[in-house]
Structure formats: C-alpha cells, structure tokens
Amino acid sequence: MQKNGFVDTHSHLNHADYEKVEEVISRALDANVLNFVVPGWDLPSSERAIELSQKFPGVYAAVGFHPHDASKADSDSLNRIRELSSHDKVVAIGEIGLDYHYNLSPPQVQRKVLEEQIEIAKEVKIPVTLHNRESDSDLLEILERQISSGWSLKKRFDYQLKTQPRGVLHSFNSTVEVATRAIEMGFYLGISGMITFGKKDSESNLQKTVRSIQPEHFLLETDAPYLAPAPHRGKRNEPSYIPLIAEKIATLQGFTIEDMRRCTSYNAYKLFGIGDVPEPRITYRIKDSLYLNLTLRCDSDCIFCDRKGEAMVKGYNLHIADEPSAAQLIEEIADPLKYKEIVFCGYGEPTIRLDVVREVARYVKERGGRTRLDTDGHGSVINHRNILPELQGIIDSVSISLNSIDPTEYQKLMGGIDKHQWQAMIDFAQEAGKFIPEVFMSVVGLNGREEAKTREFVENEIGAQFKNRPLFR
C-alpha cells in the first residue's frame, strides 16, 4: 500500500457494470484512492474479486455469500469459500449478513448461512464485512453470541488493542444505539455515499449518528456501483468519489479531510492489515492546531486511555521511544502563527516535563502564538509546588480532566490513584483561574442528567468552562 492515500473498503469492482475496470481504478488513483477491498456476494463474484486482487496491487478481496444469495450456499459452496479465504489477498469474509427488506432468501436461511460464514472467519482469523438491512436486533444478537464463544483476528500488533477488531457494518445506516453496541463489540462503521443524502436545511438520521461518533470508528466505502454520493447521486458510483464522502464526514465533525483520510486509512490497517503502522510522532496536527507529544509517562492510568496500548490519535502514532527535547519541539513548530494554537498534550501528563513546557511555551508566546495545556490537574503534586504562577503569561488556556465529580468514581476512572488526588485536581482548577486566562474542565461521555449536574459543578463551584468529550473507546 502506498502511503497517504484513501482506502475504499467496500467497492464491487467485480460487478458487470465495470467492463473497463482499469479505467475506473486509474480515476481512483488520480483522486488519491490507492487501495480497495472488493467483496463477493456468491462464488463467481468472490473468485472474480480474487482475480482482480492478483491483477492490481492495491486491490484486496473479500469472499462470501450475500444474504440475498444465502439459499445458494450449500455445504460444498461454503467449503469453497473456506478454501478461497486462505488466499494471501483475501482480507475478509464478506459481503455476508442479513436483509429483511427484500427477503430474497428466507430469514432463517440467512441467519444459518451468516453464522456458518462467521465460523469460517473465526477459523481463519480474518474479519467479516456485514450487510444489515432492517435486521438490527437479530444481527447484534448473533454477533454477541458468536463473540461469547471466542473471536479474534491474526495477530499483527506488538501492542494490545483495547477493543479487538472483528469486522465492519457495511454501509451503516442505523441509530447511535446500534452504532455504540457494534463499536463495543469491535466493529467499525462503514460510511458510504448515503452520508451526503438529505435536505439542505436538516440533517438525516445517519448524519446525526455520524456527528456523534468519533472517526476512530469509521471506514470509508463507496459500495460502488451503488449509492453514488452527491452530486453524482443516481449515477454509477466509483471509488474515485471516496473523497466526497470523507469531506462530508469532516464537515459534520469539524475535522479536515486530511484528518479523515489519515484516521480511516489507519482503521483499515487495523482491520484488514492493508498498509503499515505510521511512524511515531513528537508533533501532530489536528484541525488547525499543532499538538506536542512530550511523554508517555503519567501519574494516572485512566481506564479509557490507551497510553499502554497502541497510543494512536486520529491516525497518528504517539508511541514514542524517546522523549523529545525542547529544541526538537521548537524546530518542528517553527512558526507558531501557522496554527490556531500549540497544545501540550499527547498520551502522557505534560507537567511531568514542566521545564520543557515552559521553554517551548515561552518560544511560542514570544512569536505571537497561542498555547494550551491539556492536563490531569496533578501538576502541582507531581512537581511538589504550585506550578501555576510559572505558567502565567505563557499558557493561554488550560484544559483539566475532571472525569467525575465523585471522588470515589474519579479514583476508579483514573486507575486507582491516591484518594487525595481528586481534591488536588479541584484545588488546581480553582487556583488556575488566577493565572490562566481560560480554564476548562472536561469529562468523557456523560449524558443527560449526569452531564447537567457536572456542568453546574464546574461552572458554579469551580468557575471554569465545561467540556463533555466524546468517548472513542
């Protein structure tokens, strides 16, 4: 796989509509879509997918029986799928699943064939590409039952993933609740051209769902030749339209199209093994801000943090072996006015390296830049003194991880740290307002009444601004 390109994770280049598939792939390459997963829907289409994968370096295959064709899947056919799955460019069993809209195969047959094909995927340790139409309940029940009996992929990581990848819900078009359950089981959401459908003055249900889910859970797909995105809706779809889908998701979420490309391409690597792990970074750009990765060390071990695992953020590898010096960070920043702000962040606790924070922050402020510190609020405990006066004039904004207004729950969320750390964090937040122009306190994934109660505490008790950060697991 070439680097810095998009991946179309579901494209039927094996469809009869593509007589001149070379031209279709050429247009995709010109649009920076460099890799393609071509799923089968029966035996002939699965074999054709493998043929294409042998002819084109960036093409990979998935093999299986679509629910429409489940009635054709006898024992001999499924044995053939098992044989095909061992090909070195077969990266998934798919397109398999359930479709209760047309019921071209009886539902009971669909369910039986789906489970048989999941068993093949589990046997050969490759993921599944799932079709789901009007069958949320049955599909999720089958997946949960299959997972309970053991389901893992071939090991391709030196580190432990928090959630074991198992597959993708192709052309996802369901609720946040279904998305959350799927994500918790290790499934990505395949976002197709449907994300571009809808009225100008209102969001579709899919757009509302996508807006609330972090891009760490998305794969990009066209489902070509179907579901062409706007402005090509109703025409034959092509992989070259992938950037239109990425652009729409980026707009909904406030990211850049490059953020979406980088993140979804890494997701494709995690699931299908297409490509490589990016090199570790000491700085990384998200939206218009530059983030500084100072350390992987931390005084906490938050249950939602992946510092000890893959340590990836929006497709960036933060798993640094050596901590960067102030000079190295300054060299990468160069002109701070190129960015909205310079953020001291990463997967560790920046105040562990307070001297570096101060030196780099002074450099940024002397050149007219803006700075932000993301911290767990334990900096004064870590450094055995009140560090806030030392940040006055060089840090414009501080974001403190509150995580919970209950000290006991906070201690559990933060990995069993000393029970006095909650109060130390609160003291730090209250004191910060004396020295830092903007003080934020953030929590992860609160909803409803709990969010309102926490917001009131932050704004009224602490006098800070409140942030509810989405959990990306």
Side-chain angles (χ1 to χ4, degrees), residues 50 62-63 78-93 120-121 123-126 154:
I50 293 176
V63 297
L78 291 174
N79 282 334
R80 179 59 178 156
I81 291 295
R82 181 179 284 102
E83 292 173 3
L84 293 175
S85 69
S86 65
H87 191 280
D88 61 358
K89 291 198 77 176
V90 170
V91 296
I93 300 296
I120 294 173
E123 177 185 325
V124 295
K125 294 186 179 297
I126 59 176
K154 295 175 182 175

Side-chain angles (χ1 to χ4, degrees), residues 115-410:
E115 297 219 44
E116 289 173 333
Q117 292 183 102
I118 290 176
E119 290 294 344
I120 294 173
K122 292 166 68 174
E123 177 185 325
V124 295
K125 294 186 179 297
I126 59 176
V128 292
T129 295
L130 294 164
H131 176 102
N132 172 35
R133 191 167 186 184
E134 299 176 17
S135 56
D136 288 346
S137 179
D138 279 1
L139 180 65
L140 292 173
E141 185 276 327
I142 288 171
L143 295 179
E144 287 172 345
R145 180 157 36 79
Q146 286 285 346
I147 288 170
S148 68
S149 63
W151 189 350
S152 61
L153 302 190
K154 295 175 182 175
K155 187 177 187 303
R156 64 173 71 100
F157 305 98
D158 294 329
Y159 44 79
Q160 179 66 43
L161 295 175
K162 268 193 172 295
T163 302
Q164 172 68 53
R166 295 184 175 93
V168 53
L169 270 63
H170 139 70
S171 200
F172 186 82
N173 190 27
S174 193
T175 63
V176 172
E177 290 73 23
V178 171
T180 301
R181 286 181 65 187
I183 290 166
E184 288 172 344
M185 288 190 286
F187 291 89
Y188 290 93
L189 311 179
I191 307 301
S192 70
M194 285 192 293
I195 195 63
T196 68
F197 300 172
K199 300 177 181 178
K200 290 184 179 180
D201 57 349
S202 62
E203 286 189 348
S204 68
N205 289 331
L206 177 59
Q207 289 167 352
K208 292 175 182 176
T209 296
V210 165
R211 187 187 286 278
S212 66
I213 303 291
Q214 289 286 286
E216 278 81 359
H217 303 303
F218 295 145
L219 295 174
L220 302 178
E221 61 169 75
T222 56
D223 198 20
Y226 314 107
L227 299 177
H232 305 287
R233 187 175 181 182
K235 301 177 182 178
R236 187 186 75 172
N237 201 358
E238 291 195 1
S240 60
Y241 298 155
I242 278 285
L244 296 173
I245 298 168
E247 183 178 30
K248 182 61 179 180
I249 300 173
T251 298
L252 288 169
Q253 297 214 332
F255 289 106
T256 67
I257 190 171
E258 169 58 18
D259 291 333
M260 294 308 306
R261 182 213 60 77
R262 187 182 57 253
C263 191
T264 57
S265 292
Y266 178 66
N267 295 344
Y269 168 76
K270 284 203 292 184
L271 186 63
F272 297 121
I274 299 172
D276 301 297
V277 177
E279 292 296 317
R281 300 287 297 266
I282 62 171
T283 67
Y284 53 106
R285 182 170 185 163
I286 298 177
K287 301 181 183 179
D288 295 326
S289 298
L290 186 70
Y291 291 74
L292 308 186
N293 184 20
L294 277 69
T295 182
L296 280 178
R297 291 183 289 158
C298 192
D299 65 315
S300 305
D301 192 16
C302 303
I303 62 173
F304 46 78
C305 175
D306 203 22
R307 176 173 59 91
K308 296 179 179 178
E310 57 176 335
M312 297 287 299
V313 171
K314 302 295 181 290
Y316 288 116
N317 182 359
L318 306 190
H319 224 301
I320 53 175
D322 301 305
E323 295 179 337
S325 66
Q328 288 175 302
L329 294 167
I330 287 170
E331 182 179 3
E332 293 222 3
I333 294 168
D335 179 8
L337 295 180
K338 293 187 300 184
Y339 309 101
K340 177 183 176 182
E341 60 184 350
I342 306 298
V343 186
F344 298 90
C345 189
Y347 259 105
E349 169 51 42
T351 59
I352 287 176
R353 304 195 68 207
L354 182 62
D355 289 348
V356 173
V357 171
R358 291 186 306 182
E359 183 175 347
V360 175
R362 278 194 295 268
Y363 170 87
V364 172
K365 294 306 298 176
E366 286 169 0
R367 286 154 183 80
R370 177 177 169 82
T371 58
R372 186 178 94 213
L373 171 67
D374 287 359
T375 176
D376 63 11
H378 300 163
S380 294
V381 174
I382 291 168
N383 290 281
H384 308 291
R385 65 182 185 275
N386 181 6
I387 67 170
L388 287 163
E390 302 170 40
L391 302 178
Q392 188 172 25
I394 59 173
I395 295 294
D396 298 300
S397 175
V398 60
S399 181
I400 303 164
S401 298
L402 169 61
N403 293 327
S404 176
I405 60 175
D406 176 73
T408 301
E409 183 181 15
Y410 177 84

